[in-house]
Amino acid sequence: METVYLKTLMVAAISGSFSKAAAELFITQSAVSQRVKFLEERYGYQLLDRSGPLLVPTEVGKIVLEKAGRILTIEKELEERIRQIGRKTSLSLCCTPTFGVVYLPHVLNSFLLHNADTIDFKFIIHSPEQAVRGLHDNDCDLAVIEHCEDLELAGFQTFDLPMDELVFISSPTLQLPEKAIDLDILLRQRLIARKEGCSSRKLLTLNLAAMGKTLNEFRSMAIYDDLRLLIDTVVEGSGIAYVSRTLVSSQLSKGLLREHSVNGFSSSRLRTLALNKSRQTERVLQNFVDCVYSRFSLVPPCLPAPVGKERS
């Protein structure tokens, strides 16, 4: 018996009408009726009560429908397994710059070590807004986003990662006071800033506004799109910057840079992991999430298991 007959029975029972089932299945109403009648003759019982305005499963019909649901699920899983034979799984990631520079190389190394032969992987570095758009447009399966404001992530599975702390940095050659520093001293310097849309620039702008200041009050400003070039420029003594401490931890420990904080500044930004729910049951996605959490020395969340399976 072809499973199409069981599917027809289920659609008829759910819609409550032969005509609605016919429209949904793109067949004639007569074909729907004949398929249901075939099943009733095969099992020797009436499966749908036709006496009322809507089709209603009989007691035997409920039993057949329950088993039919399992059969159709197994058939769907079988078809998917067959489609996967000889085909690599794809996974796409979008992340904001700091995560991409500081954490992603280690995460990718760990992930690809165990998945390189079975997956096609791609990643894109974007601003927070662009990363969210990538999720909504299905350009990426998951995103790691550093941000200082709430994001429009309704409809996605989200997890909070450790927050990111930002600091002002300068070259020792500028002889600026270390640690806590007066904002007016910093405003006398050239600001090496990120482009608009970057959350570090947005957080700096919000902090300045809270103190009645703007970016225009710095002595001058240079806009850099490349984080490494920005840091190298500050190391050379050409200005100051407001960046994640994790980006410059090596230069700070070697004495190539000094860090500064301003009293009253909110120096932390959020870091969120967002997943496309349509793929969150896939093992490859769980593997990648495990690698991200391992990088932060955290226990990873357990994503929903595929239908009919449990995670070990």
Side-chain angles (χ1 to χ4, degrees), residues 20 29 33 232 257:
K20 290 182 180 179
Q29 182 174 334
S33 179
D232 289 344
L257 288 172

Side-chain angles (χ1 to χ4, degrees), residues 175-193:
Q175 298 183 341
L176 298 180
E178 293 192 65
K179 300 300 181 180
I181 190 172
D182 189 84
L183 179 59
D184 288 335
I185 295 177
L186 291 175
L187 292 175
R188 297 174 196 148
Q189 309 300 317
R190 175 185 295 109
L191 176 68
I192 312 299

Side-chain angles (χ1 to χ4, degrees), residues 26-41:
F26 299 100
I27 59 177
T28 65
Q29 182 174 334
S30 174
V32 173
S33 179
Q34 289 175 8
R35 290 178 183 180
V36 173
K37 184 178 180 181
F38 171 85
L39 292 175
E40 291 177 330
E41 290 177 350

Side-chain angles (χ1 to χ4, degrees), residues 284-295:
V284 67
L285 203 62
Q286 178 73 60
N287 291 345
F288 191 85
V289 171
D290 290 349
C291 292
V292 171
Y293 272 73
S294 175
R295 184 64 181 84

Side-chain angles (χ1 to χ4, degrees), residues 27-228:
I27 59 177
T28 65
Q29 182 174 334
S30 174
V32 173
S33 179
Q34 289 175 8
R35 290 178 183 180
V36 173
K37 184 178 180 181
F38 171 85
L39 292 175
E40 291 177 330
E41 290 177 350
R42 179 183 178 89
Y43 296 122
Y45 288 92
Q46 183 177 352
L47 302 179
L48 295 176
D49 183 350
R50 302 161 173 78
S51 62
L54 294 176
L55 298 174
V56 179
T58 63
E59 288 303 311
V60 175
K62 292 177 182 179
I63 296 173
V64 174
L65 286 167
E66 191 270 331
K67 299 298 183 182
R70 296 186 185 182
I71 292 171
L72 293 171
T73 296
I74 292 173
E75 181 185 49
K76 184 177 180 180
E77 291 176 354
L78 174 61
E79 292 173 348
E80 180 59 28
R81 288 291 297 275
I82 292 174
R83 280 196 296 268
Q84 291 296 331
I85 295 176
R87 187 181 73 183
K88 288 187 177 181
T89 301
S90 64
L91 186 66
S92 56
L93 164 73
C94 186
C95 66
T96 40
T98 295
F99 181 85
V101 171
V102 178
Y103 299 100
L104 189 58
H106 182 278
V107 171
L108 278 182
N109 182 62
S110 177
F111 176 72
L112 294 177
L113 185 64
H114 299 96
N115 297 273
D117 295 333
T118 59
I119 186 169
D120 288 326
F121 183 82
K122 71 173 183 177
F123 75 91
I124 304 171
I125 293 180
H126 271 326
S127 69
E129 289 77 10
Q130 289 172 319
V132 172
R133 192 178 307 119
L135 283 169
H136 283 290
D137 294 343
N138 290 315
D139 291 334
C140 56
D141 303 307
L142 71 161
V144 180
I145 309 172
E146 290 134 342
H147 57 105
C148 57
E149 297 177 318
D150 291 337
L151 300 174
E152 292 293 332
L153 290 173
F156 299 98
Q157 183 73 47
T158 60
F159 302 95
D160 294 331
L161 292 171
M163 297 183 74
D164 186 34
E165 184 177 2
L166 282 76
V167 295
F168 281 101
I169 55 171
S170 71
S171 168
T173 60
L174 295 183
Q175 298 183 341
L176 298 180
E178 293 192 65
K179 300 300 181 180
I181 190 172
D182 189 84
L183 179 59
D184 288 335
I185 295 177
L186 291 175
L187 292 175
R188 297 174 196 148
Q189 309 300 317
R190 175 185 295 109
L191 176 68
I192 312 299
R194 297 279 287 127
K195 63 182 179 180
E196 289 189 27
C198 177
S199 61
S200 61
R201 175 166 171 170
K202 184 174 291 185
L203 184 57
L204 175 57
T205 301
L206 291 171
N207 277 314
L208 290 172
M211 295 187 167
K213 304 290 186 180
T214 68
L215 292 175
N216 292 331
E217 294 183 56
F218 282 94
R219 190 188 77 190
S220 62
M221 187 166 64
I223 309 299
Y224 279 42
D225 190 35
D226 185 282
L227 275 175
R228 295 192 184 279

